[in-house]
Amino acid sequence: FLLLAFNVVVFSQEDCKGRINHHRAKYGVPLIEEREELHTCVNRQSEFDSATRAHASYKRCGEIGSQGQGRGGNCGSVIDTFVNERWMCTDDAVVFDVPIATQTTNNFGSCRQNCMNDFLCLSFDFEADTGICRFYDDASATLVQKDGAGTLWLGSPHLTSTAPPFLDGWNDFSLIDTDGSNEVPLPGQITSFKWYGSTNDPIRFYIYRKVNDNYEVIGTIRAASSITGVENAISVSPSIDVLPGDKIGWLFEGSGAATGYTEGARGSILYNNQGTGGPSNVGDTWTFGSGPLKRGYHIAASFVPDAVFYDTSGSPSKYCAAAVCDGHCGPVMHGGTTKFAWGVYEGYYTLNWRPRARIPGGDPCPSGIDAVKCWRDESTGVLWAYGVGGEECESTCSLAGATSSDYMCDENTPITGGFDAVTQLMANFENPHNSADDGPFSCEEGYCWEGTSSSQIRIFENYSHCYHPTTTDKYVCDARFGNANCLGNRFNQVCPCIEGCSPAAGPSCDPSLNTPAPTPQPAITTAFPTPSPVLASTPSPIAQPTTTAPTPVQTPVPTAPPTPQPISPSSAPTLHPTPGTCTDTSLRGRIQKLDGTIIEPKCKFFANNPALYCPRYINAADFCPNACTGDCSIDFGGEFKFWIKGVGTWATCDKKENSDLLAISENMRYCNKGEVAKVCRLTCASRR
């Protein structure tokens, strides 16, 4: 075989920005910028979360779009673990491409890492029996699967004889698969299509060729109906002449979708809205306005090439294409993510994507963290900390000290003088975000809420707006901003701090917080000579933008519903035997999707579309009985957690084995907190 040089890029493994931009530049994604002024703050986030749980201090350094966390020997290895999620690998592949480099490596992981380090390698394949590793300069080289009769197939021939787990709820709309691994590789002919029949509806198939931003129909054929529960096929006569880059598309006609899809499978699907139909004739052009979706539809087209091709099917080869980048990989490679900040504590890395914090102006705090500024009132000894908004004042005070346990918020220092008192206080700081406010910060009354705040001092620097607390008997230290805003404005806060320790400092102040979530080994490992990174056990609470779409509507296929297993026998949903009137809680719960994904929703999430969302999440009906079923559930089970506002902790209704989480059954006084009684109905009812 041919041995070619590898284009290895040398970078510092602590250079997060450099490693992200190495991956971005390879695939033509705009480079990212680092908010360096947030680095010291994000270091504190890593310190707190490494000792408690992933994403526990999610907004401590200001509002962000999403967050990724992982443990590793260096930042580069953590970034690579995120990016590794994008690989869509196929065994026994027939690759229609010529490698740009070939070498012998020890294992699959080494081959993958070498490709990631090489600036020209966009996809790769590896032969386990020979150790041969090949690089390709196409992100998704075309994969053609060969059946026992020697027929070559594009698309998903391995899925056309099995029932799809999902079926689109729309009808009369067009789709196209733009994944390079499913496009036509060489001049040739399309001779047939096959698909799994999920309904008896018709389906029209197309071969598209891209022309500028549109797609031109090169060939089309319509199947008047589908036979449900089996593989369907239709011959194309005369066959459709195709060229490299031509793509497969289809139109779901009739009252529904003729076939369905597998989520996360190889495919990059563009689509249009329901009822928009599709082209009718060869030569028509069509535009697809939505997507891409990472889906594999149970559709395939047979292909006959005009010439001999490069065939890797003679060896047990695993080919890995660079598929749609979502999950942890999404913000690393998404062009819409233009800024980030990162921090580390003892090998635990935090990456904040799309940070929107406004850095306050004034004198540095004892911590030297740029995201918070300080002024000490010598007459009282109170250290006023002016910090980025997002969490409660306890968190802001924890950022002020040289260590997180140096300062706590002092509720005994209320603001009693209204706007004038806040104006005098803010004159000890500066405002770098309003050119008209030069020198000491000069407060203006805010437009909203009659210039007041229900809890802490709120500051919007762009207009020098200052909001004074309406609570005057104490300073509210434990209230979070949440999503509160005024005409889209987000706020920073000012907090009175004194020497002392609060739970915001972590287990050093509150031993009950010393229950870090287990971090399982990822399914993939790197070949760096440093410890392999492990991802945080919970995903980013906020989904990545535009990597997926909520439409088309997904509904389970009636003929083959999935049969997921619950986490444990005790976690199965249990409903009250008789219907009753239920009121859903406004608390936030940690709920597991059937595929293992964790989200932290409120009940209004399920109420938006209960028929769609409730069946997809284990114990959703227990947590949100009114939204999901209208029946009273017994309890939100011990395997699952919910967040108690005001207390600032995750809890369960019943004692969970080998867990130090707050259990309501052993701390019945918490039934009076927030809406705990609505979550733990049976447990809290027993106390009466």
Side-chain angles (χ1 to χ4, degrees):
F1 55 85
L2 181 64
L3 181 64
L4 300 176
F6 287 73
N7 302 279
V8 177
V9 176
V10 178
F11 64 95
S12 167
Q13 283 294 291
E14 279 305 311
D15 181 10
C16 292
K17 174 183 173 182
R19 190 56 174 172
I20 295 170
N21 284 335
H22 163 75
H23 290 301
R24 288 186 167 216
K26 286 176 61 171
Y27 294 94
V29 180
L31 302 185
I32 200 168
E33 292 296 327
E34 180 184 348
R35 292 280 305 271
E36 296 181 4
E37 71 275 20
L38 292 173
H39 177 65
T40 50
C41 184
V42 186
N43 285 342
R44 284 283 177 92
Q45 285 185 287
S46 289
E47 180 180 1
F48 184 84
D49 292 1
S50 67
T52 54
R53 60 178 178 83
H55 313 299
S57 61
Y58 183 69
K59 290 187 176 182
R60 187 159 298 184
C61 296
E63 188 178 6
I64 58 177
S66 61
Q67 184 183 79
Q69 292 184 317
R71 190 178 294 280
N74 48 61
C75 191
S77 63
V78 173
I79 295 295
D80 283 0
T81 302
F82 292 168
V83 175
N84 275 338
E85 293 182 3
R86 80 176 308 177
W87 298 115
M88 183 63 67
C89 299
T90 304
D91 292 324
D92 300 324
V94 182
V95 182
F96 275 72
D97 208 345
V98 177
I100 59 171
T102 303
Q103 72 168 191
T104 301
T105 57
N106 294 329
N107 51 54
F108 171 80
S110 296
C111 179
R112 180 186 61 214
Q113 191 62 53
N114 289 344
C115 176
M116 295 179 73
N117 291 343
D118 189 285
F119 188 75
L120 299 181
C121 180
L122 304 183
S123 63
F124 67 94
D125 74 333
F126 176 73
E127 295 181 4
D129 57 344
T130 64
I132 293 177
C133 174
R134 288 178 285 260
F135 289 0
Y136 302 91
D137 58 4
D138 290 318
S140 289
T142 298
L143 296 180
V144 177
Q145 298 183 47
K146 185 187 297 183
D147 63 19
T151 304
L152 302 177
W153 293 93
L154 299 171
S156 303
H158 59 297
L159 298 178
T160 58
S161 60
T162 60
F166 295 99
L167 185 68
D168 291 308
W170 289 1
N171 67 310
D172 193 29
F173 70 105
S174 294
L175 308 93
I176 185 174
D177 188 350
T178 60
D179 192 314
S181 62
N182 291 330
E183 67 184 20
V184 173
L186 295 170
Q189 296 82 40
I190 298 297
T191 58
S192 68
F193 292 90
K194 63 180 180 178
W195 69 103
Y196 184 88
S198 298
T199 69
N200 59 7
D201 288 288
I203 183 171
R204 178 179 288 276
F205 297 101
Y206 302 95
I207 296 298
Y208 287 105
R209 183 170 299 158
K210 191 167 187 181
V211 179
N212 298 322
D213 293 330
N214 300 318
Y215 291 91
E216 180 182 352
V217 177
I218 304 303
T220 181
I221 189 169
R222 181 179 185 270
S225 64
S226 304
I227 302 174
T228 60
V230 298
E231 182 181 84
N232 292 248
I234 185 171
S235 297
V236 181
S237 182
S239 58
I240 303 172
D241 292 329
V242 291
L243 296 175
D246 289 349
K247 306 178 190 304
I248 302 171
W250 56 95
L251 164 65
F252 288 136
E253 296 181 339
S255 60
T259 191
Y261 60 90
T262 297
E263 280 189 327
R266 181 162 47 90
S268 182
I269 308 300
L270 304 181
Y271 63 95
N272 285 327
N273 289 335
Q274 178 174 231
T276 55
S280 302
N281 304 303
V282 173
D284 290 348
T285 58
W286 205 252
T287 300
F288 297 89
S290 300
L293 303 177
K294 189 176 181 180
R295 295 177 176 178
Y297 279 82
H298 292 215
I299 292 172
S302 61
F303 169 66
V304 178
D306 288 341
V308 177
F309 55 89
Y310 182 75
D311 187 347
T312 63
S313 63
S315 301
S317 168
K318 179 191 288 289
Y319 172 76
C320 295
V324 176
C325 208
D326 53 17
H328 288 93
C329 178
V332 180
M333 298 299 293
H334 195 283
T337 301
T338 60
K339 297 182 185 299
F340 85 109
W342 71 280
V344 61
Y345 179 78
E346 294 183 351
Y348 192 91
Y349 289 83
T350 297
L351 293 109
N352 289 345
W353 308 108
R354 304 187 305 282
R356 294 184 282 275
R358 295 185 308 277
I359 301 299
D363 294 331
C365 296
S367 64
I369 293 176
D370 292 325
V372 61
K373 297 298 189 290
C374 287
W375 170 75
R376 185 178 296 278
D377 184 345
E378 298 297 341
S379 64
T380 63
V382 170
L383 182 73
W384 287 92
Y386 172 23
V388 295
E391 293 192 352
E392 72 289 331
C393 273
E394 293 289 15
S395 296
T396 296
C397 289
S398 76
L399 295 175
T403 71
S404 298
S405 57
D406 286 354
Y407 287 95
M408 61 182 291
C409 180
D410 180 24
E411 67 175 17
N412 295 317
T413 304
I415 296 294
T416 57
F419 178 76
D420 290 341
V422 173
T423 298
Q424 294 177 18
L425 173 62
M426 291 306 298
N428 298 287
F429 297 97
E430 299 171 357
N431 187 1
H433 303 281
N434 184 358
S435 59
D437 189 2
D438 192 17
F441 197 115
S442 180
C443 281
E444 300 286 342
E445 289 191 4
Y447 294 150
C448 299
W449 312 307
E450 298 181 347
T452 65
S453 166
S454 61
S455 51
Q456 62 275 73
I457 298 171
R458 301 189 183 195
I459 304 296
F460 182 64
E461 290 83 0
N462 292 16
Y463 300 122
S464 299
H465 285 172
C466 301
Y467 294 80
H468 64 88
T470 56
T471 302
T472 58
D473 59 331
K474 67 175 183 177
Y475 201 95
V476 180
C477 293
D478 59 357
R480 292 197 176 201
F481 278 1
N483 292 321
N485 69 84
C486 165
L487 304 176
N489 300 339
R490 303 288 182 172
F491 302 99
N492 285 341
Q493 62 189 1
V494 185
C495 308
C497 308
I498 57 175
E499 292 184 2
C501 201
S502 76
S508 61
C509 294
D510 186 351
S512 68
L513 295 174
N514 193 19
T515 55
T519 51
Q521 292 291 332
I524 49 181
T525 57
T526 66
F528 284 122
T530 51
S532 298
V534 292
L535 298 182
S537 59
T538 54
S540 174
I542 299 182
Q544 303 308 317
T546 72
T547 56
T548 58
T551 54
V553 177
Q554 308 164 13
T555 56
V557 178
T559 56
T563 55
Q565 297 298 318
I567 294 177
S568 69
S570 63
S571 67
T574 305
L575 298 181
H576 197 281
T578 58
T581 302
C582 296
T583 303
D584 286 338
T585 177
S586 64
L587 299 181
R588 178 163 50 101
R590 178 167 293 173
I591 301 180
Q592 184 174 23
K593 198 175 179 182
L594 297 177
D595 64 5
T597 305
I598 302 291
I599 66 168
E600 296 180 1
K602 294 183 178 180
C603 288
K604 64 182 180 181
F605 167 80
F606 296 100
N608 288 333
N609 195 334
L612 176 63
Y613 295 129
C614 292
R616 294 188 178 184
Y617 293 87
I618 300 171
N619 273 43
D622 276 3
F623 188 51
C624 305
N626 193 47
C628 290
T629 66
D631 297 338
C632 278
S633 61
I634 294 177
D635 267 351
F636 191 44
E639 282 289 336
F640 299 90
K641 297 183 285 186
F642 57 95
W643 180 261
I644 308 179
K645 293 186 297 185
V647 179
T649 186
W650 288 93
T652 60
C653 295
D654 304 314
K655 180 66 176 178
K656 183 179 178 181
E657 186 177 357
N658 299 323
S659 173
D660 292 329
L661 286 172
L662 174 68
I664 302 302
S665 59
E666 298 180 357
N667 299 271
M668 300 293 281
R669 65 185 184 278
Y670 286 102
C671 287
N672 293 326
K673 293 289 185 180
E675 295 186 323
V676 171
K678 293 180 182 179
V679 183
C680 303
R681 293 172 176 84
L682 186 62
T683 297
C684 290
S686 66
R687 67 188 286 269
R688 296 183 176 92

